[in-house]
Amino acid sequence: MDIVHQTTLHVPSSFNSQSTRFLVLLNSEHRRLWDSAREIMSGVLPEDVFATYFAPMITKYRTGYGTILCFENQSTISAVAKQYEGIISREKFEQWSEQSAGMHQFALWCALEAEGLGANLQHYNPHIDQMVKETWDEKETKPLSERVLVRGISS
């Protein structure tokens, strides 16, 4: 997706660190994410909560065109923080990376909407973070913060 690539390149980040990462899941990978989310969430939530709230949402999300997962690369943040050690605290770089991630997600959502793609932004439960890291080899990233769900072309 060129939209994702352009967003990653052109949205500002502190010291131009470019720590935000997007993982685009389409077709079978998209369905795999939501099938795994269903399995994980059904095992950690009370049955009535899962059945009435989470199962219908997961079913709806699974019918979408794709999911874009948003991460912050910890190696990148650490490398930039190390360059300014003793001058700027590491906590500031973590804070700035979160702010940059928010800008990236907002810009991506706007760009997808401008192209007629019915996107929505979800701050989803952290129970699936480990599965995502292992399945799609995202070991150097901070836990997932948001998911941008892409729902096909709107009319």
Side-chain angles (χ1 to χ4, degrees), residues 1 4 22-34 36 61-62 64-71 128 131-132 135-138 144 147-150:
M1 285 189 116
V4 176
F22 292 115
L23 175 62
V24 179
L25 304 176
L26 302 174
N27 305 313
S28 63
E29 293 298 299
H30 163 76
R31 290 186 297 276
R32 180 180 182 189
L33 171 75
W34 293 108
S36 295
Y61 299 155
R62 189 182 187 279
Y65 179 74
T67 300
I68 303 171
L69 303 174
C70 307
F71 303 94
I128 69 168
M131 175 274 298
V132 167
T135 304
W136 289 283
D137 196 28
E138 290 292 331
L144 288 167
R147 289 102 184 115
V148 178
L149 305 172
V150 183

PDB file of all heavy atoms in Angstrom, residues 1 4 22-34 36 61-62 64-71 128 131-132 135-138 144 147-150:
ATOM      1  N   MET A   1       0.838  -1.186   0.000  1.00  0.00           N
ATOM      2  CA  MET A   1       0.000   0.000   0.000  1.00  0.00           C
ATOM      3  C   MET A   1       0.879   1.244   0.000  1.00  0.00           C
ATOM      4  O   MET A   1       1.572   1.521   0.979  1.00  0.00           O
ATOM      5  CB  MET A   1      -0.890   0.028   1.221  1.00  0.00           C
ATOM      6  CG  MET A   1      -2.055  -0.896   1.217  1.00  0.00           C
ATOM      7  SD  MET A   1      -3.093  -0.502   2.628  1.00  0.00           S
ATOM      8  CE  MET A   1      -4.548   0.012   1.789  1.00  0.00           C
ATOM      9  N   VAL A   4       0.373   3.730   2.971  1.00  0.00           N
ATOM     10  CA  VAL A   4       1.094   3.414   4.211  1.00  0.00           C
ATOM     11  C   VAL A   4       2.555   3.836   4.084  1.00  0.00           C
ATOM     12  O   VAL A   4       3.117   4.454   5.000  1.00  0.00           O
ATOM     13  CB  VAL A   4       0.976   1.908   4.558  1.00  0.00           C
ATOM     14  CG1 VAL A   4       1.806   1.558   5.782  1.00  0.00           C
ATOM     15  CG2 VAL A   4      -0.487   1.525   4.769  1.00  0.00           C
ATOM     16  N   PHE A  22       4.337   0.154  10.544  1.00  0.00           N
ATOM     17  CA  PHE A  22       3.013  -0.365  10.202  1.00  0.00           C
ATOM     18  C   PHE A  22       3.186  -1.759   9.625  1.00  0.00           C
ATOM     19  O   PHE A  22       4.119  -2.006   8.862  1.00  0.00           O
ATOM     20  CB  PHE A  22       2.322   0.510   9.149  1.00  0.00           C
ATOM     21  CG  PHE A  22       1.932   1.873   9.628  1.00  0.00           C
ATOM     22  CD1 PHE A  22       2.513   3.009   9.094  1.00  0.00           C
ATOM     23  CD2 PHE A  22       0.959   2.026  10.602  1.00  0.00           C
ATOM     24  CE1 PHE A  22       2.144   4.271   9.511  1.00  0.00           C
ATOM     25  CE2 PHE A  22       0.577   3.282  11.037  1.00  0.00           C
ATOM     26  CZ  PHE A  22       1.180   4.412  10.488  1.00  0.00           C
ATOM     27  N   LEU A  23       2.298  -2.650   9.979  1.00  0.00           N
ATOM     28  CA  LEU A  23       2.249  -3.988   9.405  1.00  0.00           C
ATOM     29  C   LEU A  23       0.883  -4.135   8.741  1.00  0.00           C
ATOM     30  O   LEU A  23      -0.147  -4.057   9.406  1.00  0.00           O
ATOM     31  CB  LEU A  23       2.436  -5.054  10.487  1.00  0.00           C
ATOM     32  CG  LEU A  23       2.295  -6.505  10.058  1.00  0.00           C
ATOM     33  CD1 LEU A  23       3.354  -6.873   9.024  1.00  0.00           C
ATOM     34  CD2 LEU A  23       2.389  -7.418  11.270  1.00  0.00           C
ATOM     35  N   VAL A  24       0.887  -4.297   7.426  1.00  0.00           N
ATOM     36  CA  VAL A  24      -0.354  -4.397   6.654  1.00  0.00           C
ATOM     37  C   VAL A  24      -0.715  -5.861   6.489  1.00  0.00           C
ATOM     38  O   VAL A  24       0.066  -6.650   5.952  1.00  0.00           O
ATOM     39  CB  VAL A  24      -0.189  -3.725   5.267  1.00  0.00           C
ATOM     40  CG1 VAL A  24      -1.472  -3.860   4.454  1.00  0.00           C
ATOM     41  CG2 VAL A  24       0.204  -2.263   5.428  1.00  0.00           C
ATOM     42  N   LEU A  25      -1.893  -6.220   6.963  1.00  0.00           N
ATOM     43  CA  LEU A  25      -2.397  -7.591   6.846  1.00  0.00           C
ATOM     44  C   LEU A  25      -3.625  -7.580   5.939  1.00  0.00           C
ATOM     45  O   LEU A  25      -4.615  -6.912   6.238  1.00  0.00           O
ATOM     46  CB  LEU A  25      -2.776  -8.158   8.218  1.00  0.00           C
ATOM     47  CG  LEU A  25      -1.678  -8.158   9.280  1.00  0.00           C
ATOM     48  CD1 LEU A  25      -2.229  -8.660  10.608  1.00  0.00           C
ATOM     49  CD2 LEU A  25      -0.498  -8.986   8.829  1.00  0.00           C
ATOM     50  N   LEU A  26      -3.548  -8.324   4.850  1.00  0.00           N
ATOM     51  CA  LEU A  26      -4.658  -8.416   3.908  1.00  0.00           C
ATOM     52  C   LEU A  26      -5.047  -9.873   3.716  1.00  0.00           C
ATOM     53  O   LEU A  26      -4.242 -10.776   3.946  1.00  0.00           O
ATOM     54  CB  LEU A  26      -4.259  -7.812   2.556  1.00  0.00           C
ATOM     55  CG  LEU A  26      -3.806  -6.355   2.574  1.00  0.00           C
ATOM     56  CD1 LEU A  26      -3.303  -5.938   1.202  1.00  0.00           C
ATOM     57  CD2 LEU A  26      -4.925  -5.444   3.034  1.00  0.00           C
ATOM     58  N   ASN A  27      -6.270 -10.075   3.263  1.00  0.00           N
ATOM     59  CA  ASN A  27      -6.771 -11.399   2.892  1.00  0.00           C
ATOM     60  C   ASN A  27      -6.584 -12.418   4.009  1.00  0.00           C
ATOM     61  O   ASN A  27      -7.066 -12.201   5.114  1.00  0.00           O
ATOM     62  CB  ASN A  27      -6.127 -11.853   1.571  1.00  0.00           C
ATOM     63  CG  ASN A  27      -6.343 -10.849   0.468  1.00  0.00           C
ATOM     64  OD1 ASN A  27      -7.454 -10.376   0.290  1.00  0.00           O
ATOM     65  ND2 ASN A  27      -5.291 -10.504  -0.251  1.00  0.00           N
ATOM     66  N   SER A  28      -5.879 -13.516   3.740  1.00  0.00           N
ATOM     67  CA  SER A  28      -5.774 -14.605   4.719  1.00  0.00           C
ATOM     68  C   SER A  28      -5.027 -14.169   5.984  1.00  0.00           C
ATOM     69  O   SER A  28      -5.335 -14.652   7.071  1.00  0.00           O
ATOM     70  CB  SER A  28      -5.093 -15.830   4.102  1.00  0.00           C
ATOM     71  OG  SER A  28      -3.772 -15.528   3.715  1.00  0.00           O
ATOM     72  N   GLU A  29      -4.052 -13.260   5.861  1.00  0.00           N
ATOM     73  CA  GLU A  29      -3.332 -12.792   7.054  1.00  0.00           C
ATOM     74  C   GLU A  29      -4.251 -11.951   7.941  1.00  0.00           C
ATOM     75  O   GLU A  29      -4.192 -12.031   9.165  1.00  0.00           O
ATOM     76  CB  GLU A  29      -2.071 -12.020   6.665  1.00  0.00           C
ATOM     77  CG  GLU A  29      -1.019 -12.880   6.009  1.00  0.00           C
ATOM     78  CD  GLU A  29      -0.512 -13.994   6.929  1.00  0.00           C
ATOM     79  OE1 GLU A  29       0.045 -13.690   7.991  1.00  0.00           O
ATOM     80  OE2 GLU A  29      -0.682 -15.175   6.568  1.00  0.00           O
ATOM     81  N   HIS A  30      -5.084 -11.142   7.315  1.00  0.00           N
ATOM     82  CA  HIS A  30      -6.082 -10.342   8.044  1.00  0.00           C
ATOM     83  C   HIS A  30      -7.038 -11.278   8.798  1.00  0.00           C
ATOM     84  O   HIS A  30      -7.288 -11.093   9.996  1.00  0.00           O
ATOM     85  CB  HIS A  30      -6.835  -9.456   7.043  1.00  0.00           C
ATOM     86  CG  HIS A  30      -8.117  -8.893   7.553  1.00  0.00           C
ATOM     87  ND1 HIS A  30      -8.177  -7.835   8.436  1.00  0.00           N
ATOM     88  CD2 HIS A  30      -9.400  -9.239   7.301  1.00  0.00           C
ATOM     89  CE1 HIS A  30      -9.439  -7.556   8.702  1.00  0.00           C
ATOM     90  NE2 HIS A  30     -10.198  -8.388   8.019  1.00  0.00           N
ATOM     91  N   ARG A  31      -7.547 -12.278   8.107  1.00  0.00           N
ATOM     92  CA  ARG A  31      -8.470 -13.224   8.754  1.00  0.00           C
ATOM     93  C   ARG A  31      -7.761 -14.020   9.856  1.00  0.00           C
ATOM     94  O   ARG A  31      -8.346 -14.297  10.905  1.00  0.00           O
ATOM     95  CB  ARG A  31      -9.090 -14.150   7.708  1.00  0.00           C
ATOM     96  CG  ARG A  31     -10.070 -13.412   6.791  1.00  0.00           C
ATOM     97  CD  ARG A  31     -10.800 -14.347   5.843  1.00  0.00           C
ATOM     98  NE  ARG A  31      -9.909 -15.035   4.918  1.00  0.00           N
ATOM     99  CZ  ARG A  31      -9.481 -14.522   3.763  1.00  0.00           C
ATOM    100  NH1 ARG A  31      -9.857 -13.313   3.396  1.00  0.00           N
ATOM    101  NH2 ARG A  31      -8.681 -15.221   2.978  1.00  0.00           N
ATOM    102  N   ARG A  32      -6.509 -14.360   9.629  1.00  0.00           N
ATOM    103  CA  ARG A  32      -5.722 -15.085  10.638  1.00  0.00           C
ATOM    104  C   ARG A  32      -5.616 -14.275  11.932  1.00  0.00           C
ATOM    105  O   ARG A  32      -5.733 -14.819  13.025  1.00  0.00           O
ATOM    106  CB  ARG A  32      -4.333 -15.362  10.064  1.00  0.00           C
ATOM    107  CG  ARG A  32      -3.399 -16.097  10.981  1.00  0.00           C
ATOM    108  CD  ARG A  32      -2.077 -16.299  10.263  1.00  0.00           C
ATOM    109  NE  ARG A  32      -1.134 -17.032  11.059  1.00  0.00           N
ATOM    110  CZ  ARG A  32       0.128 -17.194  10.738  1.00  0.00           C
ATOM    111  NH1 ARG A  32       0.604 -16.676   9.619  1.00  0.00           N
ATOM    112  NH2 ARG A  32       0.929 -17.857  11.511  1.00  0.00           N
ATOM    113  N   LEU A  33      -5.384 -12.973  11.804  1.00  0.00           N
ATOM    114  CA  LEU A  33      -5.313 -12.108  12.984  1.00  0.00           C
ATOM    115  C   LEU A  33      -6.603 -12.187  13.781  1.00  0.00           C
ATOM    116  O   LEU A  33      -6.590 -12.410  14.988  1.00  0.00           O
ATOM    117  CB  LEU A  33      -5.041 -10.660  12.573  1.00  0.00           C
ATOM    118  CG  LEU A  33      -5.172  -9.656  13.726  1.00  0.00           C
ATOM    119  CD1 LEU A  33      -3.974  -9.749  14.657  1.00  0.00           C
ATOM    120  CD2 LEU A  33      -5.358  -8.257  13.193  1.00  0.00           C
ATOM    121  N   TRP A  34      -7.729 -12.005  13.108  1.00  0.00           N
ATOM    122  CA  TRP A  34      -9.009 -11.948  13.823  1.00  0.00           C
ATOM    123  C   TRP A  34      -9.462 -13.323  14.303  1.00  0.00           C
ATOM    124  O   TRP A  34     -10.121 -13.428  15.338  1.00  0.00           O
ATOM    125  CB  TRP A  34     -10.048 -11.208  12.975  1.00  0.00           C
ATOM    126  CG  TRP A  34      -9.626  -9.770  12.879  1.00  0.00           C
ATOM    127  CD1 TRP A  34      -9.130  -9.129  11.785  1.00  0.00           C
ATOM    128  CD2 TRP A  34      -9.575  -8.833  13.956  1.00  0.00           C
ATOM    129  NE1 TRP A  34      -8.783  -7.845  12.120  1.00  0.00           N
ATOM    130  CE2 TRP A  34      -9.042  -7.629  13.440  1.00  0.00           C
ATOM    131  CE3 TRP A  34      -9.924  -8.884  15.303  1.00  0.00           C
ATOM    132  CZ2 TRP A  34      -8.864  -6.491  14.228  1.00  0.00           C
ATOM    133  CZ3 TRP A  34      -9.737  -7.742  16.084  1.00  0.00           C
ATOM    134  CH2 TRP A  34      -9.217  -6.572  15.553  1.00  0.00           C
ATOM    135  N   SER A  36      -7.340 -15.581  15.399  1.00  0.00           N
ATOM    136  CA  SER A  36      -6.509 -15.741  16.598  1.00  0.00           C
ATOM    137  C   SER A  36      -7.028 -14.868  17.736  1.00  0.00           C
ATOM    138  O   SER A  36      -7.041 -15.288  18.896  1.00  0.00           O
ATOM    139  CB  SER A  36      -5.050 -15.392  16.298  1.00  0.00           C
ATOM    140  OG  SER A  36      -4.505 -16.300  15.379  1.00  0.00           O
ATOM    141  N   TYR A  61     -14.974  -7.063  12.398  1.00  0.00           N
ATOM    142  CA  TYR A  61     -13.630  -6.682  11.971  1.00  0.00           C
ATOM    143  C   TYR A  61     -13.072  -7.678  10.956  1.00  0.00           C
ATOM    144  O   TYR A  61     -12.387  -7.299  10.012  1.00  0.00           O
ATOM    145  CB  TYR A  61     -12.676  -6.594  13.155  1.00  0.00           C
ATOM    146  CG  TYR A  61     -13.058  -5.562  14.191  1.00  0.00           C
ATOM    147  CD1 TYR A  61     -12.640  -5.698  15.498  1.00  0.00           C
ATOM    148  CD2 TYR A  61     -13.850  -4.456  13.881  1.00  0.00           C
ATOM    149  CE1 TYR A  61     -12.978  -4.761  16.469  1.00  0.00           C
ATOM    150  CE2 TYR A  61     -14.199  -3.522  14.837  1.00  0.00           C
ATOM    151  CZ  TYR A  61     -13.755  -3.682  16.123  1.00  0.00           C
ATOM    152  OH  TYR A  61     -14.093  -2.759  17.079  1.00  0.00           O
ATOM    153  N   ARG A  62     -13.354  -8.951  11.158  1.00  0.00           N
ATOM    154  CA  ARG A  62     -12.844  -9.999  10.264  1.00  0.00           C
ATOM    155  C   ARG A  62     -13.383  -9.833   8.844  1.00  0.00           C
ATOM    156  O   ARG A  62     -12.734 -10.218   7.881  1.00  0.00           O
ATOM    157  CB  ARG A  62     -13.215 -11.371  10.822  1.00  0.00           C
ATOM    158  CG  ARG A  62     -12.544 -12.513  10.076  1.00  0.00           C
ATOM    159  CD  ARG A  62     -13.008 -13.858  10.653  1.00  0.00           C
ATOM    160  NE  ARG A  62     -12.269 -14.956  10.075  1.00  0.00           N
ATOM    161  CZ  ARG A  62     -12.521 -15.500   8.894  1.00  0.00           C
ATOM    162  NH1 ARG A  62     -13.517 -15.025   8.134  1.00  0.00           N
ATOM    163  NH2 ARG A  62     -11.798 -16.510   8.450  1.00  0.00           N
ATOM    164  N   GLY A  64     -13.676  -7.137   7.209  1.00  0.00           N
ATOM    165  CA  GLY A  64     -13.037  -6.009   6.552  1.00  0.00           C
ATOM    166  C   GLY A  64     -12.034  -6.459   5.499  1.00  0.00           C
ATOM    167  O   GLY A  64     -11.692  -7.638   5.378  1.00  0.00           O
ATOM    168  N   TYR A  65     -11.547  -5.508   4.756  1.00  0.00           N
ATOM    169  CA  TYR A  65     -10.570  -5.768   3.700  1.00  0.00           C
ATOM    170  C   TYR A  65      -9.190  -6.070   4.270  1.00  0.00           C
ATOM    171  O   TYR A  65      -8.443  -6.881   3.735  1.00  0.00           O
ATOM    172  CB  TYR A  65     -10.506  -4.554   2.768  1.00  0.00           C
ATOM    173  CG  TYR A  65      -9.508  -4.695   1.658  1.00  0.00           C
ATOM    174  CD1 TYR A  65      -9.765  -5.532   0.572  1.00  0.00           C
ATOM    175  CD2 TYR A  65      -8.309  -4.010   1.689  1.00  0.00           C
ATOM    176  CE1 TYR A  65      -8.852  -5.675  -0.450  1.00  0.00           C
ATOM    177  CE2 TYR A  65      -7.386  -4.139   0.669  1.00  0.00           C
ATOM    178  CZ  TYR A  65      -7.660  -4.980  -0.391  1.00  0.00           C
ATOM    179  OH  TYR A  65      -6.744  -5.112  -1.402  1.00  0.00           O
ATOM    180  N   GLY A  66      -8.838  -5.400   5.352  1.00  0.00           N
ATOM    181  CA  GLY A  66      -7.516  -5.604   5.936  1.00  0.00           C
ATOM    182  C   GLY A  66      -7.382  -4.917   7.269  1.00  0.00           C
ATOM    183  O   GLY A  66      -8.271  -4.207   7.719  1.00  0.00           O
ATOM    184  N   THR A  67      -6.249  -5.154   7.890  1.00  0.00           N
ATOM    185  CA  THR A  67      -5.910  -4.530   9.164  1.00  0.00           C
ATOM    186  C   THR A  67      -4.487  -4.009   9.053  1.00  0.00           C
ATOM    187  O   THR A  67      -3.614  -4.679   8.511  1.00  0.00           O
ATOM    188  CB  THR A  67      -5.987  -5.558  10.318  1.00  0.00           C
ATOM    189  OG1 THR A  67      -7.315  -6.071  10.400  1.00  0.00           O
ATOM    190  CG2 THR A  67      -5.610  -4.929  11.641  1.00  0.00           C
ATOM    191  N   ILE A  68      -4.275  -2.819   9.568  1.00  0.00           N
ATOM    192  CA  ILE A  68      -2.935  -2.247   9.622  1.00  0.00           C
ATOM    193  C   ILE A  68      -2.574  -2.110  11.092  1.00  0.00           C
ATOM    194  O   ILE A  68      -3.236  -1.380  11.835  1.00  0.00           O
ATOM    195  CB  ILE A  68      -2.877  -0.886   8.910  1.00  0.00           C
ATOM    196  CG1 ILE A  68      -3.335  -1.031   7.449  1.00  0.00           C
ATOM    197  CG2 ILE A  68      -1.464  -0.308   9.003  1.00  0.00           C
ATOM    198  CD1 ILE A  68      -3.529   0.283   6.723  1.00  0.00           C
ATOM    199  N   LEU A  69      -1.554  -2.830  11.512  1.00  0.00           N
ATOM    200  CA  LEU A  69      -1.117  -2.798  12.904  1.00  0.00           C
ATOM    201  C   LEU A  69      -0.047  -1.724  13.069  1.00  0.00           C
ATOM    202  O   LEU A  69       0.822  -1.568  12.205  1.00  0.00           O
ATOM    203  CB  LEU A  69      -0.553  -4.157  13.303  1.00  0.00           C
ATOM    204  CG  LEU A  69      -1.504  -5.336  13.113  1.00  0.00           C
ATOM    205  CD1 LEU A  69      -0.788  -6.647  13.404  1.00  0.00           C
ATOM    206  CD2 LEU A  69      -2.728  -5.189  14.000  1.00  0.00           C
ATOM    207  N   CYS A  70      -0.100  -1.002  14.152  1.00  0.00           N
ATOM    208  CA  CYS A  70       0.809   0.110  14.411  1.00  0.00           C
ATOM    209  C   CYS A  70       1.733  -0.223  15.578  1.00  0.00           C
ATOM    210  O   CYS A  70       1.263  -0.663  16.628  1.00  0.00           O
ATOM    211  CB  CYS A  70       0.016   1.361  14.743  1.00  0.00           C
ATOM    212  SG  CYS A  70      -1.227   1.768  13.505  1.00  0.00           S
ATOM    213  N   PHE A  71       3.022   0.000  15.379  1.00  0.00           N
ATOM    214  CA  PHE A  71       4.042  -0.310  16.376  1.00  0.00           C
ATOM    215  C   PHE A  71       5.003   0.849  16.536  1.00  0.00           C
ATOM    216  O   PHE A  71       5.105   1.696  15.659  1.00  0.00           O
ATOM    217  CB  PHE A  71       4.901  -1.501  15.925  1.00  0.00           C
ATOM    218  CG  PHE A  71       4.147  -2.751  15.633  1.00  0.00           C
ATOM    219  CD1 PHE A  71       3.731  -3.030  14.343  1.00  0.00           C
ATOM    220  CD2 PHE A  71       3.888  -3.668  16.628  1.00  0.00           C
ATOM    221  CE1 PHE A  71       3.065  -4.208  14.054  1.00  0.00           C
ATOM    222  CE2 PHE A  71       3.211  -4.839  16.350  1.00  0.00           C
ATOM    223  CZ  PHE A  71       2.806  -5.111  15.060  1.00  0.00           C
ATOM    224  N   ILE A 128      -3.682  -9.886  22.687  1.00  0.00           N
ATOM    225  CA  ILE A 128      -3.198 -10.474  21.431  1.00  0.00           C
ATOM    226  C   ILE A 128      -1.788 -10.033  21.072  1.00  0.00           C
ATOM    227  O   ILE A 128      -1.223 -10.507  20.089  1.00  0.00           O
ATOM    228  CB  ILE A 128      -4.162 -10.188  20.254  1.00  0.00           C
ATOM    229  CG1 ILE A 128      -4.158  -8.713  19.866  1.00  0.00           C
ATOM    230  CG2 ILE A 128      -5.568 -10.676  20.570  1.00  0.00           C
ATOM    231  CD1 ILE A 128      -4.863  -8.429  18.556  1.00  0.00           C
ATOM    232  N   MET A 131       0.900 -12.847  20.574  1.00  0.00           N
ATOM    233  CA  MET A 131       0.615 -13.635  19.376  1.00  0.00           C
ATOM    234  C   MET A 131       1.029 -12.866  18.121  1.00  0.00           C
ATOM    235  O   MET A 131       1.639 -13.423  17.210  1.00  0.00           O
ATOM    236  CB  MET A 131      -0.882 -13.986  19.324  1.00  0.00           C
ATOM    237  CG  MET A 131      -1.330 -14.710  18.055  1.00  0.00           C
ATOM    238  SD  MET A 131      -1.759 -13.638  16.636  1.00  0.00           S
ATOM    239  CE  MET A 131      -3.119 -12.686  17.263  1.00  0.00           C
ATOM    240  N   VAL A 132       0.740 -11.578  18.076  1.00  0.00           N
ATOM    241  CA  VAL A 132       1.104 -10.761  16.917  1.00  0.00           C
ATOM    242  C   VAL A 132       2.622 -10.709  16.766  1.00  0.00           C
ATOM    243  O   VAL A 132       3.153 -10.907  15.669  1.00  0.00           O
ATOM    244  CB  VAL A 132       0.511  -9.341  17.030  1.00  0.00           C
ATOM    245  CG1 VAL A 132       1.123  -8.398  16.008  1.00  0.00           C
ATOM    246  CG2 VAL A 132      -1.001  -9.393  16.875  1.00  0.00           C
ATOM    247  N   THR A 135       3.776 -14.223  15.561  1.00  0.00           N
ATOM    248  CA  THR A 135       3.269 -14.602  14.247  1.00  0.00           C
ATOM    249  C   THR A 135       3.910 -13.788  13.123  1.00  0.00           C
ATOM    250  O   THR A 135       4.257 -14.336  12.079  1.00  0.00           O
ATOM    251  CB  THR A 135       1.730 -14.449  14.194  1.00  0.00           C
ATOM    252  OG1 THR A 135       1.164 -15.230  15.247  1.00  0.00           O
ATOM    253  CG2 THR A 135       1.176 -14.911  12.857  1.00  0.00           C
ATOM    254  N   TRP A 136       4.068 -12.483  13.348  1.00  0.00           N
ATOM    255  CA  TRP A 136       4.579 -11.615  12.285  1.00  0.00           C
ATOM    256  C   TRP A 136       5.966 -11.046  12.607  1.00  0.00           C
ATOM    257  O   TRP A 136       6.390 -10.054  12.021  1.00  0.00           O
ATOM    258  CB  TRP A 136       3.576 -10.518  11.970  1.00  0.00           C
ATOM    259  CG  TRP A 136       2.380 -11.088  11.264  1.00  0.00           C
ATOM    260  CD1 TRP A 136       2.320 -11.463   9.953  1.00  0.00           C
ATOM    261  CD2 TRP A 136       1.107 -11.406  11.821  1.00  0.00           C
ATOM    262  NE1 TRP A 136       1.086 -11.976   9.669  1.00  0.00           N
ATOM    263  CE2 TRP A 136       0.313 -11.957  10.790  1.00  0.00           C
ATOM    264  CE3 TRP A 136       0.539 -11.272  13.091  1.00  0.00           C
ATOM    265  CZ2 TRP A 136      -0.992 -12.362  10.992  1.00  0.00           C
ATOM    266  CZ3 TRP A 136      -0.764 -11.685  13.287  1.00  0.00           C
ATOM    267  CH2 TRP A 136      -1.513 -12.224  12.244  1.00  0.00           C
ATOM    268  N   ASP A 137       6.688 -11.678  13.513  1.00  0.00           N
ATOM    269  CA  ASP A 137       8.080 -11.358  13.816  1.00  0.00           C
ATOM    270  C   ASP A 137       8.293  -9.870  14.110  1.00  0.00           C
ATOM    271  O   ASP A 137       9.123  -9.208  13.485  1.00  0.00           O
ATOM    272  CB  ASP A 137       8.996 -11.817  12.669  1.00  0.00           C
ATOM    273  CG  ASP A 137      10.462 -11.872  13.114  1.00  0.00           C
ATOM    274  OD1 ASP A 137      10.709 -12.083  14.314  1.00  0.00           O
ATOM    275  OD2 ASP A 137      11.336 -11.692  12.263  1.00  0.00           O
ATOM    276  N   GLU A 138       7.548  -9.375  15.070  1.00  0.00           N
ATOM    277  CA  GLU A 138       7.658  -7.968  15.481  1.00  0.00           C
ATOM    278  C   GLU A 138       8.265  -7.896  16.878  1.00  0.00           C
ATOM    279  O   GLU A 138       7.748  -7.248  17.768  1.00  0.00           O
ATOM    280  CB  GLU A 138       6.270  -7.300  15.462  1.00  0.00           C
ATOM    281  CG  GLU A 138       5.708  -7.101  14.091  1.00  0.00           C
ATOM    282  CD  GLU A 138       6.489  -6.072  13.290  1.00  0.00           C
ATOM    283  OE1 GLU A 138       7.081  -5.143  13.879  1.00  0.00           O
ATOM    284  OE2 GLU A 138       6.514  -6.200  12.057  1.00  0.00           O
ATOM    285  N   LEU A 144       1.515  -3.477  20.740  1.00  0.00           N
ATOM    286  CA  LEU A 144       0.586  -2.802  19.841  1.00  0.00           C
ATOM    287  C   LEU A 144      -0.146  -1.691  20.563  1.00  0.00           C
ATOM    288  O   LEU A 144      -0.536  -1.842  21.711  1.00  0.00           O
ATOM    289  CB  LEU A 144      -0.467  -3.794  19.348  1.00  0.00           C
ATOM    290  CG  LEU A 144       0.000  -4.829  18.353  1.00  0.00           C
ATOM    291  CD1 LEU A 144      -1.063  -5.909  18.223  1.00  0.00           C
ATOM    292  CD2 LEU A 144       0.259  -4.188  17.027  1.00  0.00           C
ATOM    293  N   ARG A 147      -4.939  -0.433  16.019  1.00  0.00           N
ATOM    294  CA  ARG A 147      -5.138  -1.147  14.775  1.00  0.00           C
ATOM    295  C   ARG A 147      -6.009  -0.266  13.888  1.00  0.00           C
ATOM    296  O   ARG A 147      -7.000   0.279  14.341  1.00  0.00           O
ATOM    297  CB  ARG A 147      -5.895  -2.463  14.978  1.00  0.00           C
ATOM    298  CG  ARG A 147      -5.077  -3.500  15.677  1.00  0.00           C
ATOM    299  CD  ARG A 147      -5.542  -3.540  17.137  1.00  0.00           C
ATOM    300  NE  ARG A 147      -4.738  -4.446  17.915  1.00  0.00           N
ATOM    301  CZ  ARG A 147      -3.968  -4.050  18.903  1.00  0.00           C
ATOM    302  NH1 ARG A 147      -3.836  -2.793  19.212  1.00  0.00           N
ATOM    303  NH2 ARG A 147      -3.291  -4.922  19.606  1.00  0.00           N
ATOM    304  N   VAL A 148      -5.640  -0.111  12.654  1.00  0.00           N
ATOM    305  CA  VAL A 148      -6.455   0.616  11.697  1.00  0.00           C
ATOM    306  C   VAL A 148      -7.122  -0.448  10.847  1.00  0.00           C
ATOM    307  O   VAL A 148      -6.455  -1.213  10.156  1.00  0.00           O
ATOM    308  CB  VAL A 148      -5.598   1.560  10.808  1.00  0.00           C
ATOM    309  CG1 VAL A 148      -6.473   2.268   9.793  1.00  0.00           C
ATOM    310  CG2 VAL A 148      -4.843   2.560  11.675  1.00  0.00           C
ATOM    311  N   LEU A 149      -8.420  -0.506  10.910  1.00  0.00           N
ATOM    312  CA  LEU A 149      -9.167  -1.506  10.156  1.00  0.00           C
ATOM    313  C   LEU A 149      -9.654  -0.878   8.856  1.00  0.00           C
ATOM    314  O   LEU A 149     -10.285   0.177   8.875  1.00  0.00           O
ATOM    315  CB  LEU A 149     -10.361  -2.003  10.969  1.00  0.00           C
ATOM    316  CG  LEU A 149      -9.990  -2.543  12.357  1.00  0.00           C
ATOM    317  CD1 LEU A 149     -11.237  -2.815  13.144  1.00  0.00           C
ATOM    318  CD2 LEU A 149      -9.148  -3.780  12.222  1.00  0.00           C
ATOM    319  N   VAL A 150      -9.362  -1.526   7.754  1.00  0.00           N
ATOM    320  CA  VAL A 150      -9.721  -1.011   6.444  1.00  0.00           C
ATOM    321  C   VAL A 150     -10.906  -1.797   5.932  1.00  0.00           C
ATOM    322  O   VAL A 150     -10.862  -3.014   5.845  1.00  0.00           O
ATOM    323  CB  VAL A 150      -8.525  -1.133   5.462  1.00  0.00           C
ATOM    324  CG1 VAL A 150      -8.876  -0.525   4.121  1.00  0.00           C
ATOM    325  CG2 VAL A 150      -7.289  -0.450   6.053  1.00  0.00           C
TER     326      VAL A 150
END
